Amino acid sequence: MHLHKYEKIWLTFGIGSLLVFLIVLGIGAFYQGTQPPSCLVTIDPQNVQAHESFKEESLGLQKVGENEYVVNVLASAFQYNLGKDDKGSPVRTIRIPKGANVTFQATTTDVVHGFQIAGTNVNMMLEPGYISDFETTLDNPGEYTILCNEYCGIGQHTMSAVLEVYEP
Amino acid sequence: MISKRIEKPDARLSIGFIYIAFIALFLGGLMGLLQTLVRSGEFTLPFGIGYYQILTAHGVLLGLVLTTYFIIGFQYTLMSKSVGMSEKQRKWAWISFTMMVIGTLMSGTMILLGKANVLYTFYAPLQAHPIFYIGLALFVVGTWISCFVNFSQLRQWKKKYPGEKSPLMAFMVVINMLIWLISTLGVAATVVLQYIPWSLGMVEEIDILVSRTLFWYFGHPLVYFWLLPAYMAWYTIIPKIIGGKIFSDSLARLAFILFLLFSIPVGFHHQLTEPGIDPFWKYIQVVLTFMVTIPSLITAFSMFATFEMTGRKKGYTGLFRWLKGLPWKDVRFLAPFIGMVAFIPGGAGGLINASNQLNGVIHNTIWVTGHFHLTVATTVVLTFFGISYWLIPVLTGRKLTKQINKLGIIQTFIWAVGMTIMSGSMHIEGLLGAPRRSAFSNYGGTQQAQEWVGYQIAQAIGGSILFIGILLMVYIFIKLAFRTPKGEEEFPVAEYADPTERTPKVFENWRLWIGIAAVLILIAYTIPFIDIIQNAPPGSPGFKWPIGNT
């Protein structure tokens, strides 16, 4: 098969940059550890409370160490259960100090949901039977919208909460 | 290239498919307009119609009905033109058409009744009415018949002309139908083995990750099934329209073979942020995904080589002055050309979407909606419009008039402006974090959500401009199908720049290419799929109330 000279240059350049690009992605994923969220832990979707992280008292923000937090989230159509505050009403805003190490841990009791914190890299699918997690550090103080970005029913757009990152 | 006349009965078959495509364009476009208006926050739907109901209708009508019917109709004319069609084949083609229409009507009725507000991805455990799934299955089986009709058309031609290389048009159609057949095996498996028994109550539970993996095994090749007919027009028809020649037969065939190999084992790049799939296998499929950039690079080179050679042959010289030699006032060229231009940002956006970890920045944001409105709704759709200007008169025995050509140029311009505004604001809003598939919301009154509203108003403006474009296109369609003067419109079939060029025989070794495609699919899917089944959590019961299916 005959290839025009310019076409050879074009394809060599194209395929070459593709290889470089894929190697960069691979180094990012396997050497530096920036993998897409891929938690492999399963759970019974009809009995999530059996898992320690999703018992009523474990939900929401938990301090687990010096400057280290876990946020346990239980999603269901159409809300995120983030635990209860001192007065017993549901928590709508999570407050985390800037620069803390945070792991978001979430699952769903019913259909597929999304868990996204707009303006950050936290973005994962929540599927019945699986726990999803995302470990991160939030460096920019401010108010962030937590929202469901996968279609979960006719009230999907009402499913949201707030994350506040404050200067410690 | 061998070219036959399109006989009347063949024309009737193709135009049947295309009628349905244009009805879907009008209805689906109207739904799209309503969506952008609702999401601007300035408008609410009357008569208790739900946002997610029209969103489902929009996706199904434009993503599945418009595309599939137009493609199959168009491909039948390419086959009739290049290899011909027997009476028996035509009979089966009509059976295929009938099954597809019955399936479409069944699913469509359930959407209209509000029993299937599940969007076109119908993710379990949201549970629609069983008739919705049965209709889908029937539709897919109907398309399979068309696959086999196309295969038998080429086989018959090969028998008649042993040893000769198959006509390029027929070769391309067969590749596209192979992609469709292999990939729809996945969606058919999940619908028939999982969704239908589960929605009928024969089984209690459904395995979510298996159903999603089977869906996306189909969901990405689907976009190449949309794109390849546009490439067919670019390779085999556009050169004739501009007064040029096909740059290279072997390169065109090579590009299509690469699509057959690399468009299927890639579904995980739609599931990058999902739990339960090992990140190693996600990366493997990301690498395979990026292989399809190679045939697109080949295509880009071939197109611009044809354009430049044509311009220079007409006497225009200089680095860019040859562009003047192209027929900008001919809508049959202009509309697909604007589509090609849109594929530059569209393709670049696609690279971002598939980039393993970078996907997390845009996954399920409205950026993705902006992306496929560039690729499918501009590149593919404008090429389909460009095809329609000559194909419909060819099929109805009429002429493309000067007036319609002018209206077509205006239509192309309206589309480009409307889409730049709508898709552009979707891309930016998505980068700011706004989700796709959502009705208007202020998300508890956050500052971020307030900043998004301006972009949503821009989308409503772009959407309104696009709807004017759709009305104009439907008007043009009616004119070309029923009103313009009778006559014989040219079916443009391009010739080769170098007729002595020898195409490697191996390109027609179907067993080899299907075999390699199968091996790649097995490599990409076997181990992760076994993992998914072996480590499966308890299944999910159906949920009807969240979609209002009570």
Side-chain angles (χ1 to χ4, degrees), chain B residues 53 56 104-117 128-133 135 549:
Chain B
Q53 190 176 5
T56 305
T104 309
L105 289 175
M106 285 167 73
S107 302
T109 309
M110 291 303 116
I111 296 170
L112 279 180
L113 293 174
K115 296 278 179 199
N117 297 330
H129 195 284
I131 292 179
F132 173 78
Y133 303 115
N549 173 24

Side-chain angles (χ1 to χ4, degrees), chain B residues 38 73 91 100 107 167 189-191 194 204-205 274 364 381 421 464 471 487 536:
Chain B
V38 170
K91 201 183 84 197
M100 285 170 68
S107 302
T190 181
V191 168
Q194 292 190 286
E204 292 285 303
E205 291 170 351
E274 285 187 32
N364 272 354
V381 164
I421 297 172
S464 305
L471 288 178

Side-chain angles (χ1 to χ4, degrees), chain B residues 83 151-167 170-171 253 505 507-510:
Chain B
V83 294
F151 299 159
S152 97
Q153 282 175 285
L154 181 59
R155 199 177 309 123
Q156 206 159 50
W157 186 92
K158 292 288 274 186
K159 257 189 213 150
K160 226 193 253 168
Y161 303 93
E164 274 188 56
K165 82 175 170 195
S166 55
F171 178 87
R253 285 175 206 248
K505 272 240 155 78
F507 284 180
E508 289 219 49
N509 191 337
W510 294 104

Side-chain angles (χ1 to χ4, degrees), chain B residues 165-185:
Chain B
K165 82 175 170 195
S166 55
L168 185 56
M169 281 177 172
F171 178 87
M172 290 172 157
V173 170
V174 167
I175 294 257
N176 202 31
M177 285 314 235
L178 277 173
I179 293 176
W180 177 258
L181 180 65
I182 297 172
S183 64
T184 46
L185 289 174

Side-chain angles (χ1 to χ4, degrees), chain A residues 78-79 92 154-161, chain B residues 52 439-441 443-444:
Chain A
F78 303 107
Q79 56 154 337
R92 299 306 338 135
I154 51 181
Q156 195 220 341
H157 52 288
T158 61
M159 193 165 164
S160 69
Chain B
Y52 298 99
F440 182 79
S441 173
Y443 297 103

Side-chain angles (χ1 to χ4, degrees), chain B residues 161-446:
Chain B
Y161 303 93
E164 274 188 56
K165 82 175 170 195
S166 55
L168 185 56
M169 281 177 172
F171 178 87
M172 290 172 157
V173 170
V174 167
I175 294 257
N176 202 31
M177 285 314 235
L178 277 173
I179 293 176
W180 177 258
L181 180 65
I182 297 172
S183 64
T184 46
L185 289 174
V187 73
T190 181
V191 168
V192 173
L193 301 176
Q194 292 190 286
Y195 281 92
I196 292 178
W198 171 70
S199 66
L200 287 170
M202 291 156 67
V203 294
E204 292 285 303
E205 291 170 351
I206 189 166
D207 187 314
I208 303 300
L209 196 52
V210 168
S211 76
R212 295 176 64 85
T213 304
L214 287 171
F215 180 86
W216 283 114
Y217 165 85
F218 151 78
H220 199 72
L222 171 67
V223 311
Y224 291 105
F225 173 74
W226 295 334
L227 183 65
L228 290 195
Y231 277 25
M232 292 174 202
W234 296 359
Y235 274 112
T236 68
I237 286 159
I238 299 286
K240 175 74 176 176
I241 290 172
I242 64 173
K245 298 269 171 67
I246 297 173
F247 177 67
S248 161
D249 176 75
S250 350
L251 275 176
R253 285 175 206 248
L254 176 64
F256 270 66
I257 287 172
L258 291 174
F259 277 118
L260 172 64
L261 301 186
F262 292 111
S263 67
I264 304 169
V266 299
F268 280 170
H269 78 246
H270 286 258
Q271 300 178 280
L272 287 172
T273 65
E274 285 187 32
I277 303 170
D278 191 291
F280 172 76
W281 290 103
K282 288 180 178 174
Y283 180 75
I284 293 292
Q285 293 209 8
V286 162
V287 172
L288 289 167
T289 304
F290 277 96
M291 292 303 136
V292 292
T293 53
I294 298 168
S296 280
L297 287 175
I298 295 176
T299 305
F301 189 92
S302 299
M303 287 306 113
F304 280 87
T306 298
F307 295 160
E308 185 171 347
M309 274 161 41
T310 309
R312 289 193 190 284
K313 205 179 66 195
K314 290 183 184 169
Y316 295 94
T317 51
L319 197 53
F320 289 113
R321 254 170 50 91
W322 50 266
L323 280 166
K324 280 194 169 174
L326 299 174
W328 300 105
K329 286 181 182 158
D330 185 341
V331 71
R332 299 174 305 160
F333 165 70
L334 182 72
F337 182 84
I338 301 288
M340 291 177 200
V341 173
F343 207 55
I344 299 170
L351 299 180
I352 293 170
N353 301 346
S355 297
N356 210 30
Q357 45 282 77
L358 197 55
N359 172 268
V361 179
I362 51 81
H363 178 76
N364 272 354
T365 68
I366 199 165
W367 157 287
V368 177
T369 317
H371 164 71
F372 62 71
H373 278 82
L374 277 184
T375 48
V376 182
T378 310
T379 304
V380 171
V381 164
L382 274 183
T383 304
F384 287 179
F385 289 171
I387 293 166
S388 300
Y389 295 110
W390 56 264
L391 180 63
I392 294 164
V394 162
L395 295 176
T396 57
R398 294 176 189 276
K399 295 284 284 177
L400 167 62
T401 60
K402 275 215 175 94
Q403 185 220 2
I404 295 290
N405 183 63
K406 203 183 249 170
L407 277 180
I409 288 171
I410 296 170
Q411 202 285 334
T412 308
F413 187 69
I414 292 176
W415 202 266
V417 172
M419 200 55 90
T420 307
I421 297 172
M422 190 180 84
S423 174
S425 54
M426 284 174 166
H427 275 92
I428 301 170
E429 196 193 355
L431 285 181
L432 298 174
R436 67 189 283 203
R437 308 182 136 182
S438 295
F440 182 79
S441 173
N442 64 8
Y443 297 103
T446 59

